Amino acid sequence: MSKLEATGYVIHRRPYRETSLIVDFFTRQYGRISAVAKGARGASKSDRKSLIQPLQLLSFELSGRSQLKNLGIAEALQSSLNLKGTSLYSAFYLNELLMRAIPETEPMSMLFEQYQRTLTALERVSNDNTAAEINANSIPTGDVEPILREFELLLLQELGYLPDFNYTADTGEQIIADLSYSFVSEQGFIACSAKQAYALSGRDIISIAQKDFSPSARRAAKYICRQAFLPIIGDKPLKSRELFISR
């Protein structure tokens, strides 16, 4: 029986039989991978019940020749993240996006590093707002949106769906700040009238490319990312987005 060693985060889990879980990990070595964690739920007194939690970074062993592995020895590599309110909902969103967007067992080391940086940034936002005596549930979305957009843009790049933010898709002309553009999924930006529905400012497109997320660029980036992900994850709503709406 072959064994694999991996480092990764728990991004999803679901019941399996009476006392076990099927756990989805996002790992440095293998991308997204699934495993059966025996004795991790129900009346079992296994330490795994407290160890296998969403957003927990683990070092672990996997065994088995099928696509669905068996989880062996697992050890926490850091304490649980201190995420609250909007920051926590944002992390759940990242996990659901990974579950829906990336194929299994396809290594994405750059994305894994960005995922870690994103969680760290979300934790910092959560702690900063708590220190400032702001309710964590009321963290301004402007604090987390640039963090999420940077992750989404890298994910699109890794999947081959990132549009060219410098040149138009149809003519190859450079994006001009004073012109307007429409965004077409799987193609890119096309010059259009400023009066056209969902027209985007060239200035905002250029700002996004430079990771300069002004309020208008944030709105544009959110629209672009949502449209760009449609061919990848489909139009079935992400459950984690409901957390933001219900606040």
Side-chain angles (χ1 to χ4, degrees):
M1 182 179 292
S2 59
K3 286 190 176 183
L4 303 173
E5 294 185 355
T7 301
Y9 290 86
V10 178
I11 60 172
H12 186 258
R13 59 183 199 168
R14 55 196 182 279
Y16 181 70
R17 297 180 176 172
E18 292 185 1
T19 61
S20 301
L21 293 169
I22 293 180
V23 185
D24 293 283
F25 297 95
F26 183 41
T27 69
R28 185 190 303 276
Q29 297 88 348
Y30 309 106
R32 182 168 68 88
I33 195 166
S34 303
V36 175
K38 297 179 180 179
R41 59 182 287 266
S44 170
K45 296 182 179 180
S46 170
D47 291 339
R48 294 186 174 192
K49 292 180 67 174
S50 58
L51 189 63
I52 302 174
Q53 300 293 330
L55 306 172
Q56 179 66 61
L57 178 61
L58 303 174
S59 173
F60 53 92
E61 290 184 352
L62 299 172
S63 62
R65 298 186 183 276
S66 66
Q67 190 172 23
L68 181 62
K69 306 297 183 183
N70 292 309
L71 180 65
I73 297 172
E75 179 183 0
L77 293 180
Q78 64 182 32
S79 56
S80 299
L81 293 165
N82 183 27
L83 298 174
K84 302 175 184 177
T86 304
S87 290
L88 181 60
Y89 305 152
S90 297
F92 288 159
Y93 165 73
L94 295 179
N95 288 352
E96 189 175 7
L97 189 60
L98 289 172
M99 287 293 298
R100 294 271 293 271
I102 64 175
E104 285 196 87
T105 62
E106 184 172 317
M108 294 183 174
S109 57
M110 283 182 58
L111 187 66
F112 183 84
E113 297 294 338
Q114 183 65 34
Y115 179 79
Q116 288 193 300
R117 288 193 293 268
T118 302
L119 292 182
T120 299
L122 290 174
E123 183 176 40
R124 183 170 59 250
V125 168
S126 183
N127 291 338
D128 287 349
N129 281 279
T130 300
E133 297 183 353
I134 297 175
N135 188 324
N137 289 311
S138 301
I139 294 172
T141 56
D143 288 354
V144 300
E145 285 187 353
I147 299 170
L148 297 181
R149 298 297 88 81
E150 283 197 41
F151 180 84
E152 290 172 334
L153 291 170
L154 182 58
L155 175 54
L156 288 170
Q157 178 180 313
E158 291 285 284
L159 296 173
Y161 283 80
L162 184 70
D164 190 332
F165 284 85
N166 297 308
Y167 300 95
T168 59
D170 54 346
T171 65
E173 295 178 339
Q174 189 169 1
I175 300 291
I176 304 298
D178 294 332
L179 297 183
S180 297
Y181 300 85
S182 61
F183 174 70
V184 181
S185 297
E186 300 183 87
Q187 294 184 40
F189 300 100
I190 298 173
C192 70
S193 167
K195 296 181 180 179
Q196 181 174 316
Y198 303 109
L200 301 166
S201 162
R203 183 169 286 101
D204 286 339
I205 295 171
I206 294 169
S207 294
I208 295 167
Q210 298 172 345
K211 297 183 180 179
D212 177 12
F213 292 100
S214 65
S216 60
R218 286 201 300 267
R219 291 190 294 271
K222 184 175 184 178
Y223 171 78
I224 292 166
C225 287
R226 287 201 175 187
Q227 295 303 308
F229 276 113
L230 281 177
I232 304 169
I233 66 174
D235 56 6
K236 182 180 178 181
L238 292 168
K239 293 181 179 179
S240 52
R241 283 180 180 159
E242 297 175 3
L243 297 173
F244 293 93
I245 297 172
S246 61
R247 287 194 300 119

